[in-house]
Amino acid sequence: MSSRNYKLILTVVAVVALVVNSFNQNNLNVKRESLGLTRLEPLENAPPMLAFTTVALGGFRGLIVNFLFIRSNQLQGKGLYFETMTLGDWITKLQPTFTPVWRFQAWNMAYNISRVFEYPKDRWGWVWAGIKLMRDEGLKYNPTDPEMYRELGWFFYDKIGRYSETEHFAYKRIFHEMTEEVFPTGKPDLDGLENPQTDAEKESARLLKDRFKMDLKYIRQVEENFGPLDWRLPEAHAIYWATVGMNKATSGDPMVMFRVIWQSMQMSFQRGTINVNPFDDRIEFSPNLDIIPKVNQTYEIVKGYIPDRADYVARGQETFLHEAIYLLYLHGRRKEAAEWYHYVRTAIPTIQYTWVRDMPLDQFVMLNIQRTVNRSSPFRSKAVIEAYLMNYFYHLAVGQNSRARGNALFARKTYDLYHERFSKSVKDIQALSSFEQIRIGVLINCLSGQGRFTSVMGQRLRVRLGLPEDWRSKLSKGVLDNIDEKKAFNVDADLNPLNAETSAGDGLDNSPNTEEK
């Protein structure tokens, strides 16, 4: 057979095959649609050749996706992020159930493209765009994929919640403003969101659904299992999406999502109470001591999930409980501190710190404070400073002047010691607020009746400081330098306890002794 005839026969066979396939294509399309296999949207803004080959090749779309994915990686390596995004958009439309490209695209927007821009608000726009891409588009096509939920939760925990770059405070401030419209106090108004009556409640319910794409039943579940949480903080949202994933994922290891919960619960304990400084709008964080039992419960659940790594988890649990004990102690909740100290010594296998079993509680607290200030993160050091300042205001309110001065002195020295340890480059990212800012933030909490302060104690402190009833409108920088300290301390007016050089006591005795007047 001649070569020409052979080619002619092959051409005829190819034509016949295409004709036969055309008769079956409609039937196949119907079956693909009924089985949920056809999830393609029109490919918009693509070059004509790409649009043509997408339709013409049909089942060979995978080849196109592979080529585009390789090309996008090449562009990524060259720093051409916008071009990479365009290819990623085509890939997600060609293969919407190919989850790696959703995760890659969202990560690229939140972590790479955002850093190209100079101003925090511009950077935030790309961070939020990455979250929306994963949440609004990726999960629409992959509602049962555990890695999608894990990645989404990680964005909230890591990109917004942690301090990985200098703009993290700006991210937290913007996120606070967004979420405050739904959660004005940080706590979810479950009844108002479920059955909104007022215009404000209706708007909050709308934003919860439209802006945050959140389901109230999962918020209830998170609050019940892990709360109380402040929903103006990103770690609460990380826990939410990991919880949704544990409910909806049909494959994979649920532990990948529980790790997000575990890490976010630790963060919620360490800095799960939020305040906004009234003078510069800076976000301030304090520990959330009320969720200590839930955090400990989370550790126990994790040990049950991965029994072969229970010792590893127990190390983290032991460190967490040590921190919880001394913070409870410093905040005047000594009964709870003693109960948890007993729990550590009797119910938790001691792995790292065998000396705990024979050490008195007071000595244990002092040792851990020293370890925290010398080796820990700014948030843990700030928690110690705030605890001393709250004790300062508490003892001032009840007339225990020497103890008030002792706590004030320890707060100042702890702050100075922390700042001496870090270089300027580290301080730009991790530095504490100024001592004055921290002091004002604690004062606001105390006057508002938070922490160990009741409303009565808040009023007593206000009177001792000589502040008017409308004290919020009178707060300004330096307010504590202008208070009537002679009246507060019954000593010379020029004695400022926060600048004192000497002090009686160690600042740790929180007993309600009111003999000193």
Side-chain angles (χ1 to χ4, degrees), residues 41-168:
E41 296 180 356
L43 193 60
E44 300 175 354
N45 301 320
M49 182 56 67
L50 177 63
F52 171 75
T53 53
T54 299
V55 176
L57 293 181
F60 290 94
R61 287 189 304 272
L63 296 177
I64 304 175
V65 169
N66 287 339
F67 170 77
L68 293 176
F69 200 76
I70 293 171
R71 180 58 179 161
S72 69
N73 283 333
Q74 294 173 342
L75 295 174
Q76 177 83 4
K78 297 178 181 179
L80 301 175
Y81 301 124
F82 291 96
E83 291 82 351
T84 303
M85 280 189 55
T86 300
L87 296 184
D89 182 56
W90 296 344
I91 294 171
T92 55
K93 287 181 169 63
L94 287 168
Q95 293 283 19
T97 59
F98 185 45
T99 58
V101 75
W102 289 107
R103 302 199 301 271
F104 172 83
Q105 180 79 341
W107 181 277
N108 190 40
M109 297 167 74
Y111 283 83
N112 293 325
I113 297 179
S114 66
R115 299 187 71 111
V116 174
F117 294 87
E118 178 180 0
Y119 299 107
K121 285 188 176 181
D122 294 331
R123 290 190 174 194
W124 167 258
W126 285 101
V127 172
W128 190 244
I131 289 174
K132 289 175 63 179
L133 179 70
M134 180 82 71
R135 183 194 67 191
D136 301 352
E137 299 297 326
L139 286 179
K140 178 170 67 175
Y141 297 113
N142 306 277
T144 62
D145 184 271
E147 284 295 331
M148 296 288 286
Y149 291 100
R150 184 202 68 82
E151 197 82 4
L152 181 56
W154 181 258
F155 281 5
F156 283 100
Y157 166 79
D158 181 65
K159 190 62 181 178
I160 308 176
R162 298 175 77 186
Y163 44 94
S164 56
E165 55 180 290
T166 55
E167 287 74 20
H168 72 96

Side-chain angles (χ1 to χ4, degrees), residues 167-182:
E167 287 74 20
H168 72 96
F169 279 115
Y171 296 164
K172 293 174 176 61
R173 185 71 180 93
I174 296 171
F175 188 74
H176 174 272
E177 292 175 351
M178 293 172 59
T179 53
E180 194 172 34
E181 297 183 58
V182 180

Side-chain angles (χ1 to χ4, degrees), residues 178-288:
M178 293 172 59
T179 53
E180 194 172 34
E181 297 183 58
V182 180
F183 311 104
T185 65
K187 310 303 178 187
D189 180 7
L190 299 175
D191 294 334
L193 290 170
E194 185 174 23
N195 297 299
Q197 302 298 321
T198 66
D199 290 341
E201 290 175 342
K202 291 177 181 178
E203 178 64 10
S204 295
R206 184 190 68 80
L207 290 173
L208 184 70
K209 179 181 178 181
D210 296 343
R211 175 185 291 175
F212 297 104
K213 302 295 191 293
M214 298 173 75
D215 190 324
L216 196 58
K217 72 176 181 180
Y218 293 120
I219 293 180
R220 291 182 183 275
Q221 183 177 338
V222 169
E223 276 291 293
E224 181 178 345
N225 294 337
F226 306 108
L229 299 172
D230 191 323
W231 289 82
R232 298 169 297 180
L233 293 173
E235 51 265 32
H237 293 252
I239 295 171
Y240 171 88
W241 286 108
T243 299
V244 175
M246 294 186 73
N247 281 272
K248 291 189 175 183
T250 58
S251 61
D253 182 6
M255 191 60 203
V256 300
M257 289 167 290
F258 210 91
R259 282 194 177 95
V260 175
I261 295 176
W262 173 20
Q263 293 171 313
S264 298
M265 286 295 288
Q266 293 179 74
M267 183 183 289
S268 295
F269 158 68
Q270 292 171 354
R271 48 185 189 271
T273 301
I274 188 172
N275 289 298
V276 180
N277 189 288
F279 307 125
D280 59 7
D281 287 337
R282 182 183 173 94
I283 293 291
E284 306 282 0
F285 303 98
S286 303
N288 181 356

Side-chain angles (χ1 to χ4, degrees), residues 329-429:
Y329 188 102
L330 284 178
H331 280 268
R333 298 163 66 165
R334 297 185 64 179
K335 180 179 179 181
E336 295 173 72
E339 291 172 350
W340 281 109
Y341 194 51
H342 176 74
Y343 174 82
V344 167
R345 294 191 291 178
T346 58
I348 300 296
T350 302
I351 300 174
Q352 305 173 90
Y353 311 108
T354 56
W355 39 263
V356 168
R357 296 185 180 278
D358 303 318
M359 182 176 289
L361 177 59
D362 290 355
Q363 186 178 350
F364 168 84
V365 170
M366 285 299 298
L367 180 60
N368 274 275
I369 291 173
Q370 182 180 3
R371 287 164 54 87
T372 295
V373 176
N374 287 337
R375 289 190 277 175
S376 291
S377 71
F379 295 103
R380 289 175 175 170
S381 298
K382 182 170 179 282
V384 173
I385 297 168
E386 289 177 328
Y388 276 127
L389 287 172
M390 181 166 286
N391 286 335
Y392 157 63
F393 288 120
Y394 182 88
H395 292 308
L396 181 61
V398 298
Q400 299 169 353
N401 298 338
S402 64
R403 290 176 183 170
R405 294 191 190 96
N407 279 279
L409 180 63
F410 269 74
R412 180 80 248 188
K413 286 186 174 180
T414 302
Y415 180 88
D416 292 339
L417 179 62
Y418 173 82
H419 267 268
E420 290 173 359
R421 294 172 48 228
F422 292 99
S423 65
K424 184 180 184 305
S425 60
V426 175
K427 288 179 181 178
D428 287 341
I429 297 179

Side-chain angles (χ1 to χ4, degrees), residues 465-505:
L465 295 181
L467 293 172
E469 292 188 12
D470 60 337
W471 56 268
R472 289 184 183 274
S473 63
K474 303 299 182 182
L475 287 181
S476 61
K477 289 185 177 181
V479 64
L480 289 176
D481 297 328
N482 300 321
I483 62 175
D484 187 357
E485 289 184 342
K486 183 175 182 180
K487 179 179 180 181
F489 283 92
N490 292 320
V491 294
D492 292 337
D494 60 352
L495 176 57
N496 186 335
L498 288 172
N499 297 320
E501 296 296 332
T502 59
S503 162

